[in-house]
């Protein structure tokens, strides 16, 4: 959940809104992850539908209700399949939904809409697959939150305090290399705290995973900044006070959870993706 590209220009009052919103959202996200089950699935379905609404608004405008309903229906149905332990069928349904939606949009918007369904669908599917129904899944989600949130916060404040060369000025003019390094170091420290809290984890391996996920989360932030720049938008929407849209909050988490699930599936398969991510 990474900061928008122009955070260093935020006014103090807007920064206060960001802090208040984060203070509300963080406990809710952790509490939902702790509960797991259908509560966790519904939470990420709603997040994915919000992302889909924002993406379609950026690409095609807000008056495409039929497209939103049809694409959203595919995401909801895929969530049911994922929650009932049919993740491969869920992926196929999202792909079919994307292909179906592409038929009803102009050619110039077709690839963008397909990408948006994939973006929102993976935003829903990856956390559900990783969380599963056991305690290891909760630990994996907590690790992701710790890495992404710490990267976000420390990148912001380190960049403001130190400054220096820009990370990618053509995409996000205010981000710096010092902020990127500070955020990554903070994520590694946060991963050590999570590994210590849950116990039984290889701290060096978890730190290496955190290093990778921190870099990936920052890449996700830059990718979303590029999308918004392409469509001349400052924020994906104004759903979250002080933060912009749901996409603006979940861009880094989306990228990190995709890579985390890939690592987990590679090492643990669909039966134990969280153990594949955490146990080395």
């Amino acid at each position: 959940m990474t900061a928008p590209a122009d955070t260093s220009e935020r006014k103090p009052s807007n920064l206060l809104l960001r802090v208040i919103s984060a203070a509300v959202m963080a406990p809710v996200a952790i509490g939902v992850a702790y509960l797991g089950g259908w509560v966790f699935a519904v939470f990420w379905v709603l997040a994915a539908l919000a992302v889909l609404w924002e993406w379609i608004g950026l690409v095609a405008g807000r008056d495409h209700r039929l497209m939103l309903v049809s694409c959203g229906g595919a995401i909801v149905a895929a969530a049911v399949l994922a929650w009932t332990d049919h993740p491969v069928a869920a992926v196929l349904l999202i792909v079919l939904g994307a292909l179906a939606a592409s038929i009803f949009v102009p050619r110039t918007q077709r690839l963008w809409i397909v990408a948006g369904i994939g973006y929102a669908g993976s935003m829903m599917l990856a956390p559900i697959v990783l969380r599963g129904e056991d305690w290891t899944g909760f630990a994996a989600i907590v690790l992701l939150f710790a890495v992404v949130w710490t990267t976000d916060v420390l990148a912001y404040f380190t960049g403001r305090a130190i400054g220096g060369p820009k990370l990618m000025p053509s995409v996000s003019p205010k981000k710096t290399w010092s902020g990127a390094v500070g955020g990554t170091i903070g994520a590694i420290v946060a991963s050590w705290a999570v590994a210590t809290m849950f116990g039984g984890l290889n701290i060096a391996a978890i730190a290496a995973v955190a290093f990778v996920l921190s870099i990936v989360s920052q890449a996700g932030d830059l990718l979303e900044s590029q999308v918004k720049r392409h469509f001349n938008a400052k924020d994906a929407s104004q759903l979250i006070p002080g933060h912009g849209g749901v996409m603006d909050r979940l861009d880094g988490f989306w990228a990190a959870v995709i890579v985390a699930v890939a690592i987990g599936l590679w090492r643990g398969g669909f039966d134990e993706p969280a153990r594949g991510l955490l146990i080395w």
Side-chain angles (χ1 to χ4, degrees):
M1 302 180 180
T2 48
D6 58 345
T7 49
S8 62
E9 295 180 346
R10 299 284 185 178
K11 296 179 180 179
S13 59
N14 206 7
L15 181 59
L16 179 61
L17 278 176
R18 286 167 58 82
V19 171
I20 293 172
S21 296
V24 172
M25 291 186 296
V28 170
I30 294 172
V32 167
Y34 176 80
L35 291 173
W38 69 267
V39 176
F40 187 76
V42 168
F43 178 86
W44 285 104
V45 167
L46 293 176
L49 292 177
V51 165
L52 180 66
W53 174 75
E54 291 172 347
W55 187 285
I56 290 176
L58 284 175
V59 174
R62 301 295 184 194
D63 296 328
H64 293 269
R65 293 183 180 86
L66 181 59
M67 186 191 306
L68 178 63
V69 170
S70 61
C71 297
I75 288 176
V76 171
V80 173
L81 289 172
W83 183 54
T84 55
D85 296 325
H86 297 89
V88 175
V91 172
L92 292 176
L93 186 57
I94 291 172
V95 171
L96 290 174
L99 293 176
S102 69
I103 298 173
F104 301 104
V105 297
R107 182 175 299 177
T108 56
Q109 298 175 353
R110 191 166 294 163
L111 289 178
W112 283 106
I113 294 298
V114 170
I117 298 172
Y119 186 84
S122 58
M123 182 78 74
M124 171 277 299
L125 185 60
I128 293 175
V129 169
L130 189 63
R131 174 60 180 88
E133 294 296 332
D134 61 13
W135 186 252
T136 309
F138 173 61
I141 296 296
V142 171
L143 175 65
L144 274 167
F145 285 158
V147 167
V148 175
W149 295 346
T150 304
T151 298
D152 178 20
V153 172
L154 288 188
Y156 173 74
F157 285 107
T158 304
R160 285 178 63 92
I162 298 177
K166 304 302 181 183
L167 180 61
M168 194 173 289
S170 62
V171 174
S172 187
K174 299 302 178 181
K175 285 183 170 58
T176 62
W177 279 102
S178 64
V181 171
T184 301
I185 293 173
I188 293 171
V189 174
S191 73
W192 169 82
V194 172
T196 302
M197 178 176 65
F198 283 96
L201 302 179
N202 184 322
I203 293 177
I206 295 300
V209 169
F211 174 79
V212 172
L213 296 182
S214 178
I215 293 174
V216 169
S217 74
Q218 295 182 69
D221 184 3
L222 291 170
L223 176 62
E224 199 237 2
S225 294
Q226 179 62 49
V227 171
K228 290 188 297 184
R229 183 174 290 274
H230 180 83
F231 290 103
N232 297 314
K234 181 179 180 181
D235 293 316
S237 73
Q238 298 299 322
L239 286 177
I240 306 174
H243 286 271
V246 177
M247 279 175 57
D248 299 307
R249 290 300 86 214
L250 293 178
D251 47 11
F253 180 82
W254 165 79
V257 75
I258 292 294
V259 172
V261 167
I263 295 171
L265 292 177
W266 166 53
R267 300 190 68 247
F270 279 106
D271 292 333
E272 296 183 311
R275 286 185 61 83
L277 177 68
L278 296 180
I279 307 301
W280 295 77

